Amino acid sequence: MEEETNINKSNQLHHIEARLKSSIKRSKVNKTKIVNPPKQEWISNHIINEIKIRNMLWIEHKRYPEDETKKEKFIKKRNEVTKTIRNAKSQYYYKAFDDCNKKPTKMWRLISSLANNKQKNSTTPTKLRNETGYATTTKEICEAFNKYFSNIGSVLAEQIPKTSYQEASPRANEIALTGLSKLEPTTVSEISIMIDNLNCNTSAGIDGINPKCLKCVKNLIVHDLTNSINQCLEDGVFPDNLKIAKVTPIFKAGDRSEPGNYRPVSVLPILSKIFERVLYNRLMSFLNSINFLYDKQYGFRPKSNTLSATVDLVTDIKINIDKKKIALGVFIDLKKAFDTKIKYQSNHNK
């Protein structure tokens, strides 16, 4: 009876998700909109008018190809328009790079756009290598991707020498558990802020609920959502329906028929992201309170990023060069590092 009660309590988030999906299905209106190609930002109204004049002269030239005067007028205007566009584009990007000063994220995004590193509309391969040969149908390709992504961690973990693994000290296990036996309940205010901070440009998960929809009905569900998350925290349960991710394989490089050349991008349900943020806040608060995290851990920490790591690296190199010492850097790229670590620890514990 007690187990059944806990299951019912943990299904409260599932009911909220179902209500949202049902409301979206009833209210959703599909519209077809024909979108013209976006105009380049450096194309001004003056340039558009000059292009129209150039096109008119081109029509006249095609109509009377033997008229040298019309031909000369067209060529002159064409060269003027080309020069004007080139100058406008140059000035635009000069200002864009100047605005990116001391903003590395914005700078790399600009450089990526100039390098044409844009994802294609479809990255689905026509065939994919599997155990029996090649998968060719859509269903077979999906199953091949699913099997590869699910098993690659275990396969690589088996290749790690067992002698390289070291048991965590009892003190480390004690620190990891102490203070986390009971998590502080969340509040309506905290959940409301989390919903407001959601990025509307992110994709919807398998539930079809996007951040914009959730923000529109925030005031209607925030109290129920808060109570449901608090009940899950008290029971120590993370609902199974929030663990289902929509996985998209993104091609990296190499042979498109090799599953190892794809990176899986998982999109979880939007309610899962809110629940995860609640857990993250409490876990980080606890780890910071005992000063558990290493100062040089740059990733996944507030006010710390790759730029901080780069600054420290360059500083250390400069200091050693000034001291007439040799600066040596060792960079390690681990294949499927996260999945392999989890699988390896799980297998070892068994």
Side-chain angles (χ1 to χ4, degrees), residues 264-278:
V265 176
S266 301
V267 180
L268 288 163
I270 190 65
L271 295 182
S272 172
K273 297 178 181 178
I274 296 175
F275 199 165
E276 286 180 355
R277 176 55 59 173
V278 172

Side-chain angles (χ1 to χ4, degrees), residues 217-321:
V217 298
K218 180 189 72 172
N219 295 333
L220 300 176
I221 68 168
V222 65
H223 288 86
D224 289 341
L225 183 58
T226 303
N227 294 333
S228 299
I229 292 177
N230 283 335
Q231 190 63 62
C232 290
L233 292 176
E234 182 178 346
D235 297 339
V237 176
F238 194 94
D240 291 337
N241 59 295
L242 299 186
K243 302 175 185 178
I244 303 175
K246 181 172 67 176
V247 181
T248 303
I250 303 299
F251 177 69
K252 297 186 295 183
D255 186 359
R256 288 184 175 271
S257 63
E258 287 291 339
N261 293 332
Y262 290 80
R263 174 172 58 90
V265 176
S266 301
V267 180
L268 288 163
I270 190 65
L271 295 182
S272 172
K273 297 178 181 178
I274 296 175
F275 199 165
E276 286 180 355
R277 176 55 59 173
V278 172
L279 296 174
Y280 170 85
N281 289 343
R282 280 138 188 79
L283 179 60
M284 286 300 297
S285 177
F286 168 72
L287 295 178
N288 290 331
S289 66
I290 62 174
N291 198 24
F292 183 79
L293 298 177
Y294 180 50
D295 292 338
K296 299 299 183 181
Q297 178 180 322
Y298 300 98
F300 310 104
R301 297 180 64 188
K303 299 180 181 179
S304 181
N305 49 36
T306 54
L307 180 60
S308 303
T310 304
V311 171
D312 282 357
L313 174 63
V314 173
T315 302
D316 289 341
I317 292 175
K318 287 183 176 180
I319 291 174
N320 282 280
I321 291 177

Side-chain angles (χ1 to χ4, degrees), residues 148-266:
Y148 175 82
F149 292 145
S150 300
N151 298 326
I152 185 60
S154 300
V155 172
L156 294 176
E158 291 297 329
Q159 301 174 8
I160 300 176
K162 302 302 180 182
T163 55
S164 65
Y165 181 85
Q166 295 181 356
E167 283 282 0
S169 64
R171 176 59 180 163
N173 292 331
E174 181 183 347
I175 292 176
L177 295 176
T178 303
L180 291 177
S181 58
K182 186 173 181 61
L183 298 175
E184 180 184 353
T186 184
T187 62
V188 172
S189 175
E190 183 181 16
I191 298 299
S192 180
I193 293 174
M194 290 179 183
I195 296 176
D196 291 336
N197 291 336
L198 290 173
N199 185 359
C200 291
N201 295 323
T202 55
S203 302
I206 198 170
D207 55 357
I209 305 173
N210 59 48
K212 189 173 182 180
C213 292
L214 195 63
K215 290 186 177 185
C216 291
V217 298
K218 180 189 72 172
N219 295 333
L220 300 176
I221 68 168
V222 65
H223 288 86
D224 289 341
L225 183 58
T226 303
N227 294 333
S228 299
I229 292 177
N230 283 335
Q231 190 63 62
C232 290
L233 292 176
E234 182 178 346
D235 297 339
V237 176
F238 194 94
D240 291 337
N241 59 295
L242 299 186
K243 302 175 185 178
I244 303 175
K246 181 172 67 176
V247 181
T248 303
I250 303 299
F251 177 69
K252 297 186 295 183
D255 186 359
R256 288 184 175 271
S257 63
E258 287 291 339
N261 293 332
Y262 290 80
R263 174 172 58 90
V265 176
S266 301

Side-chain angles (χ1 to χ4, degrees), residues 153 157 160 162 165-168 338-350:
I160 300 176
K162 302 302 180 182
Y165 181 85
Q166 295 181 356
E167 283 282 0
F338 179 78
D339 294 336
T340 305
K341 179 177 183 295
I342 298 299
K343 294 290 184 180
Y344 182 59
Q345 290 182 343
S346 177
N347 294 337
H348 184 88
N349 291 335
K350 288 180 181 179

